[in-house]
Amino acid sequence: MTNSLVPPAGPQRTLALAQLTNSVGDGAYYVTSALYFTHVVGLAPARVGLGLTLAWAVGSLVGVPLGRLADRRGPRGTAVLLALATGLAVASFLVVRGFVPFVIAACAYASAQSGLAAARQALLAGLVSAGERTGLLAHLQSTLNAGLAVGAGLGGLALRAGTRSAYLGVFALDALSFLVCAGLLVRLPSVRGVQVRKAGGLGVLRDRPYVVVTLLNTVLLLRMPLLSLGLPLWIAERTDAPTWLVSALFVLNTGAVMVFQVRMARGITGLASATRAVRRSGWIMLAACAVFALSAGASPWVAVGALVLGAVLQVAAEMGQSAGSWQLSFDLAPADRVGEYQGFFGTGVTVARTMGPLVLTSLLLEWGTPGWLLLGGATVVASYAMGPAARRAAGAGRAADDGEAGAVNRQSALAS
C-alpha cells in the first residue's frame, strides 16, 4: 500500500472515487436534512427524530441479510443495485409531504445505505488482498472526510439561501451522487458470489465470539456523537470557551483524519497489531476525557487550550480504534460470508449513533468530570476486553493470515 493520500490506480482508486462521490452528496444532505424536513416538509422536530430512529433501527436489521445477498449473488452487482436504490430513496424525499411517507422513505434510505456498506466491504475483500485491506480502508476514511467537508460547504450555501429550491437542489445532488457512485462501481472487476454454507436461521448471530467483538466495538463507538453533540453542549453549558470553538474542533478532527488516518493504519497488518492498536486507543481516549474535563471552570483561554488538546488526543484515539477494528472485522469473518459479517459489524455504528446522544448527555452534562472519567474508563475496559474476545474468535476454527508472521492460524497470530 502506498503511503500517498491517493490510493494506487486500479480497483482501489475506483473504490475511493466512488466513496468520494457519494460522500459529497451525503455531506450536503447531513447539514440540511433536519431543516428541510421541518421547514419545507412541515414535520415536527420530534416526529423527524422518531422517524429517523425507526429508519435506522430497520436499516441495522436489514444490513445482515443484504450482506448475505452480496455474498451469494456477487458483491459488485449487489452494491450497484443498492447504490441506485439509495439514490432513488433520496429522490423520494423530494415528494414526501407527510409523516408516514417520510418514515417509509427514511426506512428505504437507511436499509439501502446499510446494505450498500456491507456489499462494498465484501467487494473490497474480493478485490484487495488481506494485507492491503486496512490500508485501503484508511484511504477510504480520508476520502470520506474530504467528501463530507466539501458537501457540508455546499449544504452551507443552501442554508444561507434558505429557499425551498436550494434545499431541493441539495437532495437532488445527493441522489445524483449515488447514481455516479453506481456508475463507478460497475466499472470494477466482477467478484463471483460464493456458495455460502448453511449457518441456521440466525446466521452470524450463532457466531457468539464475533458477536462479542461487535458489542465491544459498539462500546468504543459511543464516542461518535462527541463532536456533533457532546462537546458542543459541554462547551456551551459547562465552560467559558467561545462557541465558535465547536466549528474549529470539527475542522481539526476532519483535517486530522484526512491527513493522518493512512499513516495511523500503516502498522496494522494482522490481528495482533490490531488488538494492540485498540488497547492503545483506549488509553489515549481516557487521557482525552480527562483533559476535556479540565476545561470546566477554567478561564476562557485555558478552557480553549484544554479543549483543543483533548480534541487532538480524541482524534488520535479515533484513528487508532478505527484502523484496529477494520482489521478485526475482516480477519475474524469467514471468507465466504464477508458481506453478512460486515453487515452485522456495521450495526455497531447505528447503535452508537442511536444510544450515543443519550449516554453522552447523561454522563457529561449531568455528571460533569466524573462522567468524563467514566466514559474514558469504559473505553479502556472495552479496549482491553477486545484482546481476549478476539483470541476466542480466532480459536473458533476459521483460518486467517496475520500478515506479520506469514500464513498462520488466528490463535498463533495472537499468541504474542
Side-chain angles (χ1 to χ4, degrees):
M1 173 63 65
T2 178
N3 294 334
S4 168
L5 294 178
V6 179
Q12 296 189 35
R13 188 168 298 175
T14 302
L15 284 168
L17 286 174
Q19 179 78 289
L20 177 64
T21 299
N22 72 255
S23 63
V24 170
D26 276 347
Y29 167 84
Y30 291 150
V31 299
T32 59
S33 58
L35 291 180
Y36 171 77
F37 292 132
T38 55
H39 291 179
V40 177
V41 179
L43 298 174
R47 285 202 154 196
V48 173
L50 174 61
L52 293 178
T53 299
L54 291 173
W56 285 111
V58 171
S60 65
L61 295 175
V62 172
V64 173
L66 287 177
R68 188 180 301 158
L69 178 67
D71 291 330
R72 293 178 176 177
R73 301 299 182 184
R76 188 191 68 174
T78 305
V80 169
L81 290 176
L82 288 171
L84 293 173
T86 306
L88 182 61
V90 173
S92 70
F93 286 130
L94 297 171
V95 296
V96 163
R97 292 296 178 268
F99 179 67
V100 173
F102 163 69
V103 172
I104 294 173
C107 287
Y109 172 77
S111 298
Q113 278 273 47
S114 297
L116 176 59
R120 286 167 85 160
Q121 297 290 70
L123 179 60
L124 183 151
L127 295 175
V128 180
S129 65
E132 295 180 307
R133 289 172 189 166
T134 296
L136 176 57
L137 285 166
H139 278 295
L140 295 181
Q141 186 67 23
S142 298
T143 302
L144 172 67
N145 275 35
L148 290 176
V150 173
L154 295 175
L157 295 177
L159 292 175
R160 182 178 179 83
T163 63
R164 182 174 183 274
S165 297
Y167 286 119
L168 294 178
V170 166
F171 278 76
L173 171 66
D174 195 19
L176 179 62
S177 74
F178 281 97
L179 297 182
V180 177
C181 173
L184 289 168
L185 292 175
V186 80
R187 294 170 51 191
L188 290 167
S190 178
V191 176
R192 297 185 61 182
V194 295
Q195 185 63 40
V196 181
R197 63 181 182 273
K198 293 183 179 180
L202 295 177
V204 63
L205 294 178
R206 293 170 59 90
D207 190 344
R208 292 181 182 178
Y210 194 89
V211 170
V212 172
V213 169
T214 300
L215 291 175
L216 291 172
N217 188 63
T218 302
V219 174
L220 299 176
L221 289 174
L222 288 175
R223 46 86 183 158
M224 289 186 67
L226 195 59
L227 279 176
S228 61
L229 181 68
L231 275 175
L233 293 176
W234 173 261
I235 290 171
E237 299 190 17
R238 288 298 194 104
T239 79
D240 292 325
T243 55
W244 56 258
L245 188 63
V246 172
S247 177
L249 295 182
F250 183 84
V251 172
L252 185 154
N253 181 276
T254 303
V257 173
M258 288 170 56
V259 176
F260 296 110
Q261 181 68 81
V262 175
R263 184 176 301 176
M264 289 286 289
R266 193 182 304 159
I268 300 175
T269 55
L271 293 173
S273 55
T275 54
R276 286 196 298 269
V278 172
R279 281 199 305 270
R280 186 165 55 247
S281 73
W283 284 111
I284 298 174
M285 188 63 192
L286 175 59
C289 290
V291 173
F292 280 137
L294 293 176
S295 63
S299 66
W301 291 110
V302 171
V304 168
L307 290 165
V308 170
L309 176 58
V312 171
L313 292 170
Q314 185 270 327
V315 73
E318 173 187 333
M319 291 187 288
Q321 184 269 326
S322 295
S325 67
W326 294 332
Q327 188 78 34
L328 293 172
S329 70
F330 276 106
D331 284 3
L332 296 175
D336 61 346
R337 297 168 66 192
V338 173
E340 177 185 352
Y341 272 60
Q342 287 297 316
F344 179 71
F345 197 79
T347 61
V349 174
T350 304
V351 173
R353 285 176 173 167
T354 303
M355 296 182 57
L358 176 62
V359 171
L360 291 182
T361 53
S362 298
L363 287 179
L364 307 185
L365 298 183
E366 295 182 16
W367 291 23
T369 297
W372 277 113
L373 297 179
L374 182 58
L375 176 63
T379 302
V380 171
V381 171
S383 66
Y384 264 77
M386 189 69 82
R391 281 194 291 271
R392 184 181 176 193
R398 299 183 297 269
D401 182 1
D402 184 271
E404 296 173 327
V408 293
N409 62 42
R410 293 179 179 171
Q411 190 64 39
S412 62
L414 284 173
S416 60

